[in-house]
Amino acid sequence: MASLNVGTLGEFLREQRRSAQLSLRQLAEAAGVSNPYLSQIERGLRKPSAEILQQLAKALRISAETLYVQAGILDERDRDDTETRSVILADPSINERQKQVLLQIYESFRKENAPDPAAGDTPAGTATSSADDDAEPSK
């Protein structure tokens, strides 16, 4: 199963490299990896570390999260959250305090909207049932 992800990653990297109009040698140099190693990654023979993926993403000018998903390191659902956080943190028009507040608000909305499989009753229903517990049992 891991080799399937690696093959997919290699094909994806090759396509990104070609879209950026970079030769294998140019991308290897820009990412700080050897030409043969990059070739092996593209052919699905090697599985790069997260650090190497980050270097490749920087050289290709794409998000590292995109490569992490392709490599099977990051789940697709986690990617959206990670990218949103990255965009907020990278915004030069707001200060650090504002970024932290915005991230807190974002996280509170995510928690509020997340499905809760353990929730059976609403808080109002819970209050009603506890009031019923105080009543004397019927005979």
Side-chain angles (χ1 to χ4, degrees):
M1 198 69 155
S3 62
L4 180 63
N5 286 342
V6 173
T8 303
L9 171 65
E11 293 166 11
F12 181 79
L13 275 172
R14 183 180 297 115
E15 189 58 39
Q16 291 299 311
R17 178 177 59 78
R18 289 178 178 162
S19 294
Q21 298 179 341
L22 294 171
S23 70
L24 191 69
R25 195 166 266 126
Q26 288 170 323
L27 177 57
E29 186 177 320
V33 299
S34 73
N35 189 33
Y37 182 63
L38 180 56
S39 175
Q40 290 172 350
I41 294 170
E42 283 193 0
R43 291 182 288 143
L45 302 175
R46 296 280 184 147
K47 187 172 183 178
S49 68
E51 183 179 332
I52 297 295
L53 290 173
Q54 188 173 21
Q55 290 171 236
L56 289 167
K58 185 176 180 182
L60 289 167
R61 297 184 180 173
I62 60 175
S63 75
E65 290 80 12
T66 300
L67 292 183
Y68 295 161
V69 169
Q70 289 294 321
I73 295 173
L74 185 65
D75 190 303
E76 181 72 39
R77 291 170 295 186
D78 297 335
R79 175 182 167 202
D80 293 337
D81 177 48
T82 304
E83 286 184 346
T84 301
R85 291 174 184 278
S86 296
V87 168
I88 291 170
L89 292 171
D91 189 336
S93 66
I94 57 177
N95 65 40
E96 288 305 311
R97 185 187 62 77
Q98 292 167 330
K99 290 175 186 180
Q100 292 307 312
V101 170
L102 192 53
L103 286 172
Q104 289 172 354
I105 293 168
Y106 174 68
E107 187 58 34
S108 72
F109 284 149
R110 286 182 50 87
K111 284 180 183 175
E112 182 180 319
N113 295 332
D116 187 4
D121 293 345
T122 61
T126 305
T128 305
S129 64
S130 63
D132 290 342
D133 290 343
D134 293 339
E136 290 187 27
S138 59
K139 293 185 180 184

